[in-house]
């Protein structure tokens, strides 16, 4: 696996790959990799000749009150896992070269990039859209894989690619779960022992909600789910019914998705459930 830090070296590498007519699959990450990330690498391999990943903890997507420095950095383990999954190239830029100052041009995606996460984490989705645009420009992939756990992020990037006429196919990959149903996430390691035991209840409540949901009054099941989550000790950022493709609020269960974010202590857990 080739490890690349300077942008100039990455440009050379991409030029060569394009000259060789290789298709490029891309998996951007912030490191601290788990099986969910690695399943994206595997997917990219299925679809492309060459797989490129990036590891960059993006300051633009952290708010003033969020601890960027505390974000877990596990580069040695990450590189080991990427090698095991036959990643061909990993791009590890430093902040100064890829972002410059915080006073950078920003990419902002209307509608899908508004509400939900954008309401709770001001500037977060613009930070994601901006860094992903920069990485897409540098890597010039044919496809890029994103986990559907971050449902709004995935849809926002799909819209961004369409709006900016980028010739990149965005692949949404199923959420990987622990045996007890908890969606895999780098944040799970912040849970203490008691919280870790409660955390799988989040997905169980969403499943129960999806089963109980009535077409004539879907919001009742959502209200019940919220009450149940509160009883179990979660605090709630949002539990909402939205349209699968647009994320517009909806009262219909057709092509809907339940998107939810809760907290256990200070740890945020994201999950969602598509109703088909
Ligand atoms: O999902 C993530 O890990 C990040 O938001 C991403 C897409 C790598 C951008 O920094």
């Amino acid at each position: 696996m080739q490890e690349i830090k300077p942008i100039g070296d990455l440009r050379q590498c991409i030029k060569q790959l394009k000259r060789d007519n290789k298709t490029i699959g891309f998996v951007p990450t912030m490191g601290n990799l788990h099986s969910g990330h690695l399943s994206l690498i595997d997917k990219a391999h299925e679809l492309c000749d060459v797989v490129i990943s990036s590891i960059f903890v993006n300051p633009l997507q952290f708010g003033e009150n969020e601890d960027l420095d505390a974000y877990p950095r596990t580069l040695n383990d990450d590189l080991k896992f990427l090698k095991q999954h036959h990643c061909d190239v990993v791009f590890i830029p430093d902040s100064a070269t890829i972002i410059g100052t915080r006073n950078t041009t920003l990419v902002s995606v209307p509608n899908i990039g508004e509400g939900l996460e954008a309401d709770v984490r001001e500037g977060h989705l613009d930070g994601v859209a901006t860094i992903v645009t920069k990485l897409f420009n540098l890597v010039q992939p044919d496809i890029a894989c994103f986990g559907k756990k971050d449902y709004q992020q995935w849809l926002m990037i799909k819209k961004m690619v369409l709006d900016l006429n980028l010739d990149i196919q965005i692949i949404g990959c199923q959420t990987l779960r622990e045996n007890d149903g908890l969606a895999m996430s780098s944040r799970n390691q912040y849970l203490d022992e008691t919280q870790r035991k409660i955390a799988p209840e989040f997905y169980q409540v969403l499943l129960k909600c999806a089963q109980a949901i009535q077409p004539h009054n879907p919001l009742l099941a959502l209200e019940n789910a919220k009450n149940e989550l509160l009883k179990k000790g979660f605090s709630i950022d949002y539990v909402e019914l939205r349209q699968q493709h647009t994320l517009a609020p909806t009262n219909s269960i057709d092509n809907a998705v339940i998107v939810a974010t809760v907290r256990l202590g200070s740890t945020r857990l994201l999950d969602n459930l598509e109703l088909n």
Side-chain angles (χ1 to χ4, degrees):
M1 181 173 73
Q2 207 180 338
E3 292 169 30
I4 299 185
K5 286 187 180 157
I7 282 178
D9 291 3
L10 182 71
R11 289 197 202 279
Q12 286 305 320
C13 167
I14 301 299
K15 266 190 199 145
Q16 189 59 51
L17 291 172
K18 299 275 173 194
R19 269 198 296 266
D20 295 344
N21 277 327
K22 300 285 187 200
T23 52
I24 299 175
F26 181 45
V27 181
T29 80
M30 297 208 302
N32 199 232
L33 303 184
H34 51 68
S35 307
H37 295 109
L38 299 169
S39 71
L40 305 182
I41 300 279
D42 296 343
K43 186 73 195 172
H45 255 306
E46 268 174 40
L47 300 173
C48 286
D49 301 325
V50 172
V51 176
I52 301 184
S53 186
S54 60
I55 299 177
F56 179 62
V57 183
N58 171 28
L60 296 176
Q61 67 191 78
F62 286 78
E64 300 289 324
N65 55 348
E66 296 176 340
D67 199 352
L68 169 68
D69 295 332
Y71 192 87
R73 275 117 171 133
T74 50
L75 185 60
N76 288 340
D77 284 345
D78 295 343
L79 295 176
K80 194 175 76 193
F81 294 143
L82 287 174
K83 271 183 207 153
Q84 281 168 1
H85 284 256
H86 312 289
C87 180
D88 298 285
V89 177
V90 58
F91 178 46
I92 319 167
D94 66 48
S95 203
T97 50
I98 196 157
I99 299 210
T101 63
R102 254 186 178 258
N103 199 14
T104 179
T105 300
L106 288 177
V107 178
S108 192
V109 184
N111 301 329
I112 288 177
E114 293 163 357
L116 302 174
E117 284 304 287
D119 281 350
V120 186
R121 301 183 69 192
E122 204 191 331
H124 167 72
L125 288 175
D126 289 356
V128 172
T130 303
I131 195 67
V132 172
T133 304
K134 282 169 176 274
L135 291 165
F136 281 176
N137 284 336
L138 291 165
V139 175
Q140 298 171 44
D142 297 277
I143 66 138
C145 298
F146 290 85
K148 283 170 74 172
K149 181 175 77 65
D150 295 300
Y151 204 86
Q152 188 178 14
Q153 169 175 286
W154 164 59
L155 284 182
M156 177 189 77
I157 290 166
K158 268 172 64 151
K159 174 167 164 53
M160 181 185 88
V161 159
L162 277 176
D163 288 355
L164 299 181
N165 305 110
L166 301 178
D167 192 11
I168 302 170
Q169 194 189 344
I170 302 300
I171 311 285
C173 301
Q174 286 310 320
T175 303
L176 248 67
R177 298 184 181 278
E178 305 290 353
N179 288 338
D180 56 16
L182 177 65
M184 287 188 187
S185 164
S186 303
R187 293 198 182 103
N188 294 350
Q189 64 195 286
Y190 297 133
L191 299 168
D192 66 25
E193 213 177 311
T194 315
Q195 292 169 335
R196 180 62 189 80
K197 284 192 185 132
I198 301 171
E201 299 281 347
F202 179 27
Y203 184 53
Q204 297 311 323
V205 170
L206 294 186
L207 284 173
K208 213 168 120 186
C209 175
Q211 273 160 14
I213 213 156
Q214 297 293 328
H216 60 278
N217 185 7
L219 299 187
L220 177 66
L222 266 83
E223 281 314 307
N224 291 340
K226 282 190 213 172
N227 288 333
E228 208 173 326
L229 287 166
L230 290 172
K231 266 194 231 141
K232 289 181 190 292
F234 297 93
S235 55
I236 296 172
D237 281 351
Y238 54 82
V239 176
E240 295 203 15
L241 194 66
R242 297 288 180 116
Q243 277 177 7
Q244 277 177 26
H245 302 293
T246 61
L247 275 191
T250 181
N251 268 339
S252 157
I253 61 169
D254 293 336
N255 291 319
V257 55
I258 304 169
V259 282
T261 300
V262 295
R263 292 177 198 246
L264 274 176
S266 56
T267 305
R268 293 184 84 228
L269 302 174
L270 278 78
D271 213 333
N272 59 75
L273 203 65
E274 286 172 330
L275 307 175
N276 291 314

